[in-house]
Amino acid sequence: MAEPDAAFVTGGTGSLGRAVVRRFLDDGHAVAVTYRSPGEWDELRLACARYAEEGRLIGIATDVTDHDKMGAAVALAASAFGGIRVLAHVAGGYAGGEAVEKVEAKTVRLMLDLNLTSAFWAAKHVIPHAKASGRGRLLFISSRGAVEAHAGAAAYAASKAGLNALVLTLAKEVGAFGITANAVMPSVIDTPQNRAAMPGAKFDTWVRPEQGAELLAFLASDRAAATSGALIPIHGRA
């Protein structure tokens, strides 16, 4: 029997990541999820217990910013599922609120590591498996903030703009192997954390995690075989 169509999802225990994992599982993928918090992984595994029992969902504790650890995580996932066709790089984060003249070095390094370096290592290690599949998909979560500047968010914006450049470059490098590379650029995603941070906002105008997952599911499918090098806005009604 053929091995299941496998996806490697970084940041799969966050609000958007959980929606992506669930959608991929519902669509028939086997999914390997990276995580940092054992508690968050346990919650995801219990929520998707049927798929875990079927062997279509595994969790891998790792540091997505570390080259060697990411290599080991990808190798483990490929061994478990007989390959990897789809990368969904959802991991990332935000830190900001400081003007460039006052920003701390640790903030800049954190943003570059979380949002850009991690994407490099995820892509580097998944590409050989995506090539072997003949129809690989490299998918990334960028941000509206990569193209619309806001004071105090320079480190975040620069890291996401760098991610966009990486995606455009990947599309040129891997297209001949049947692989596509695309990024989704959401505005504010409707998560408990964002609601707590912006209690006065109009939550119903934000992007729901399920909407982001639906777009990624399309990009992962054969229907999107002609779409590569796209930086796709998903802004809700904001």
Side-chain angles (χ1 to χ4, degrees):
M1 184 176 69
E3 295 291 344
D5 194 14
F8 186 85
V9 181
T10 67
T13 60
S15 295
L16 176 58
R18 289 195 301 271
V20 172
V21 169
R22 187 57 188 249
R23 178 58 187 264
F24 279 14
L25 289 167
D26 288 345
D27 284 353
H29 297 279
V31 180
V33 178
T34 69
Y35 67 89
R36 291 183 300 172
S37 166
E40 289 182 355
W41 160 243
D42 287 342
E43 290 178 6
L44 176 63
R45 180 175 52 81
L46 289 172
C48 301
R50 176 169 64 89
Y51 296 116
E53 291 168 1
E54 292 173 354
R56 286 206 289 125
L57 174 65
I58 63 172
I60 303 171
T62 195
D63 177 357
V64 297
T65 70
D66 185 283
H67 175 276
D68 292 345
K69 290 179 181 178
M70 275 295 284
V74 170
L76 180 59
S79 176
F81 295 141
I84 298 171
R85 186 178 72 81
V86 179
L87 165 66
H89 185 64
V90 184
Y94 175 84
E98 300 168 314
V100 171
E101 67 175 324
K102 296 181 179 179
V103 69
E104 296 186 23
K106 65 181 181 181
T107 300
V108 176
R109 176 49 53 197
L110 175 65
M111 289 296 88
L112 291 174
D113 282 346
L114 275 181
N115 297 325
L116 182 56
T117 302
S118 64
F120 263 95
W121 303 152
K124 175 182 178 177
H125 294 302
V126 169
I127 284 172
H129 303 287
K131 284 183 177 179
S133 79
R135 53 188 188 93
R137 302 287 185 267
L138 307 177
L139 311 176
F140 302 84
I141 298 298
S142 182
S143 172
R144 185 177 188 173
V147 295
E148 296 183 12
H150 297 279
Y156 176 78
S159 67
K160 289 295 189 178
L163 173 59
N164 285 358
L166 172 63
V167 171
L168 296 175
T169 304
L170 284 170
K172 297 292 187 181
E173 292 184 353
V174 302
F177 303 97
I179 303 171
T180 64
N182 296 289
V184 172
M185 299 192 298
S187 56
V188 182
I189 299 175
D190 189 3
T191 68
Q193 296 86 351
N194 285 336
R195 287 192 176 207
M198 294 173 274
K202 296 181 179 179
F203 305 144
D204 62 347
T205 67
W206 291 354
V207 178
R208 300 193 311 276
E210 294 77 13
Q211 293 173 317
E214 182 177 3
L215 180 52
L216 287 178
F218 168 73
L219 293 171
S221 74
D222 289 336
R223 292 172 295 156
T227 303
S228 191
L231 309 175
I232 304 171
I234 177 170
H235 296 168
R237 294 187 289 116

